[in-house]
Amino acid sequence: MSIEELKRPERADEYRIEELKQLFPEIFSDGKLNIELLTKLVNEVDEEIIQSDSREFFGLQWIGKKEARKLASIPPSGTLNKVVGAGVNENYTENVFIEGDNLEILRIIQKSYKERVQTIYIDPPYNTNKDYIYKDSFKEPVEDYLRKTNQADEEGLLTSNPKASGRYHANWLNMMYPRLKLAWSLLKPDGILCVSISDIEEANLRKLLDEIFGEENHVNTISVKSKVSAGASGGGEDKRLKKNLEYIYIYAKNLNELKPLTHLNQHMDLMKLITEMREEGRSWKYTSVFTDMGERKKVASTVDGDGNPIEIFLRENVKRTTISKIMREEGLSEEEVYKKYINTIFRDTNAQSSIRQRVIDAVPGLESDQVYEVEYVPRSGKNKGNKIVQTYVGNTIQLVVWLKDVVEEKDGVLMKLEKLGTLWDDIDYNNVGREGGIPYPNGKKPIDLIKRCIEINDTGEGIILDFFAGSGSTGHAVLDMNREDGGKRKFILVQLPEEAMDSGFEVITELTKQRLINSTEQLNDLDGNNNNIDRGFSVYELAKSNVQKWENDTMDVNRLNENLELFSNSPFTDGAQEIDILIELMLNQGFPLNSLIKKDEIGENVLWVIEHELVPFPLVVCLDEILYQSTESYLLNNFEKTTFICVDDALNDKQKILLSERMNVKTI
């Protein structure tokens, strides 16, 4: 559809606008469509030409934004090589840890993981003077990565970002923009992104995410109490208040696809909550107890508005008392009473509902000390379609609200469930230093914080991605959640092997791997090595392509001769391993890293068959120098609509024609 067609009123209906938002969320600002920016993105028109006759639009602008946008669209130049022996249970696991520059890695996995990631959690550099900011390049991204990590000559491109640089915020935005843009395309339609940030770049990040995801897909901004006031930092100044908050931005890929968040709760120590309420003069209402529920007999029946039955029962010989009386009579502490009688502690409330009124109408002579139970099937709400039992007390039919419905015991402590809001002040930061058994002075996040982010959009089996993995807290959180509920969540972690200062490790990636190993061992100690739970991880590293690439520099005669010499020998680089060639080919064809790779020997040829449940047809690869006739017949008889990749010289002209009639043939 052309731009002119979009301008026509009959084409600009709500459906097509919504479709455009899903394809290009960055072209909407303040609810208005930026036609010029859409033109640029679709037709790749130079930005200076567009701006020569354009209207002004609201949005975040900075030096280098044009180049940052382009960085998200250039194809990858590298690949991922498997580091055999560096992981845990690596032949059976679906969890992945990747060492390398996250921008190039996000490009590499685009085909394989597009719209397959459930949740992305990242804790990027906060842009303090000590943070590393990645200077990305258009040319030879893998070469830049090798220089950054001191694996190649020339000055490294990984540097700190001092305010004196003159482009302090611009450098950070240029680093974040292409990574967030690529992350957006990896999310499932109902997926979410959670980004931790401090107040240094918080305002800029909000505008950046509004542009990439669309401001209508902003779910919430979370304030996290990360430090107690007494220990909060203020930079040694006396003209600013002490800081004790960090923030998490939550964005949906498409808010319309996101499920309601009614299942989310935060936990508060029950006894501490009761104490705080008393000190503040607030009333704690869960103080009544049924020590004996007596016997039940049916006393009446009625119907709801649709004519469905409502059964009413009387509880006889019920014994009701209070928490304080039990404490005196049984010599128990308040906490002991709550634990002992947790299932029958309650409060009553004057709940106005049609059910309550029907009970009043159906039961004559209600008495003040009577207890009634009502059985019915709700027509709406969370219990819609399921029979439930509600308890009422007294002649005014007060609804009984059970404490057990809002409290659960966790590690021997009673925890009150509160509906989750945007202030997270219950995350324990005191023990974060000991989590995972490794030191990480750059600031680990508690796994409970990351678990809560995952719970927002949890299915129990999705892919969780963290491309600023740091110490590996996200991987630890996924492993721990699977232990708690038997889930099948999988993680993909990405981390640059930058210097790991004051940690005892040379580079952060070594620290990350050790954290994952420690976490696996700790969880196995808790419940044994449960074969039903994936507690392993495979390790991959960013590397140059295993396939020879033509250097497109026709003005250089020496380079031309080198190209010709290379391609007259083998299509693969020196030292390329078979498994790494296969991984590169399958990633190029959209197969995830956890695909099944099978080896079939057909006569004198070896065929590799790659399959994944999310890809409709397998990928077949032959790396041999000659494809024999028996293998040709096997392919024709067993594979149709399948991509077949082989060495170009392995096929004669007749084979190319025959195979192409049944298969999608590609040569290297």
Side-chain angles (χ1 to χ4, degrees), residues 452-505:
R452 181 170 291 174
C453 290
I454 296 172
E455 287 169 356
I456 291 171
N457 194 39
D458 191 29
T459 65
E461 58 182 13
I463 296 174
I464 314 301
L465 170 64
D466 182 350
F467 51 88
F468 287 100
S471 72
S473 298
T474 298
H476 188 174
V478 170
L479 293 173
D480 197 55
M481 290 182 74
N482 288 342
R483 177 190 68 87
E484 291 176 342
D485 61 12
K488 298 184 183 299
R489 305 168 189 86
K490 298 169 280 290
F491 65 74
I492 300 175
L493 307 182
V494 181
Q495 177 58 43
L496 186 75
E498 60 192 73
E499 182 182 358
M501 299 175 60
D502 303 323
S503 67
F505 294 86

Side-chain angles (χ1 to χ4, degrees), residues 211-408:
E211 177 173 326
I212 294 172
F213 279 72
E215 59 186 328
E216 71 278 6
N217 291 314
H218 173 242
V219 178
N220 278 117
T221 300
I222 307 301
S223 297
V224 182
K225 187 175 181 181
S226 57
K227 298 181 178 72
V228 295
S229 297
S233 61
E237 303 176 14
D238 59 2
K239 294 185 179 180
R240 290 188 174 93
L241 299 175
K242 296 293 184 181
K243 298 180 182 180
N244 57 9
L245 291 178
E246 291 183 350
Y247 307 93
I248 298 177
Y249 278 120
I250 304 174
Y251 277 74
K253 178 73 171 282
N254 182 350
L255 191 64
N256 294 328
E257 298 287 338
L258 189 63
K259 295 178 182 177
L261 307 183
T262 54
H263 64 289
L264 298 172
N265 296 289
Q266 63 184 104
H267 295 75
M268 303 181 67
D269 186 304
L270 177 64
M271 304 318 297
K272 288 183 180 179
L273 174 63
I274 294 173
T275 300
E276 289 176 3
M277 292 183 68
R278 285 176 181 152
E279 291 174 350
E280 296 170 4
R282 293 185 290 156
S283 174
W284 171 252
K285 300 188 182 299
Y286 290 95
T287 57
S288 298
V289 187
F290 289 131
T291 57
D292 190 336
M293 290 299 293
E295 302 82 34
R296 187 171 86 152
K297 74 173 184 178
K298 185 174 179 180
V299 294
S301 295
T302 185
V303 294
D304 63 16
D306 291 336
N308 299 312
I310 300 174
E311 308 294 341
I312 304 171
F313 301 85
L314 173 66
R315 281 284 184 180
E316 297 180 315
N317 303 317
V318 172
K319 294 181 180 178
R320 174 178 175 174
T321 185
T322 64
I323 297 290
S324 58
K325 285 183 179 180
I326 295 176
M327 290 172 61
R328 292 193 300 270
E329 293 171 358
E330 299 188 25
L332 300 175
S333 68
E334 188 173 31
E335 184 175 8
E336 289 171 335
V337 174
Y338 275 101
K339 285 186 175 181
K340 181 177 179 179
Y341 292 96
I342 184 66
N343 291 323
T344 56
I345 296 174
F346 69 97
R347 67 179 178 90
D348 54 73
T349 180
N350 185 21
Q352 299 295 326
S353 69
S354 61
I355 298 296
R356 173 179 177 273
Q357 187 58 49
R358 291 177 190 279
V359 173
I360 293 174
D361 295 340
V363 182
L366 293 169
E367 299 182 19
S368 60
D369 59 349
Q370 297 288 17
V371 177
Y372 298 91
E373 288 182 347
V374 179
E375 287 186 2
Y376 72 104
V377 177
R379 292 177 292 166
S380 60
K382 65 179 182 179
N383 294 312
K384 179 182 178 181
N386 299 312
K387 181 180 286 188
I388 65 170
V389 177
Q390 286 188 337
T391 305
Y392 293 87
V393 295
N395 56 356
T396 57
I397 306 298
Q398 297 282 100
L399 176 65
V400 168
V401 182
W402 300 104
L403 182 62
K404 65 182 179 181
D405 291 337
V406 293
V407 168
E408 63 181 33

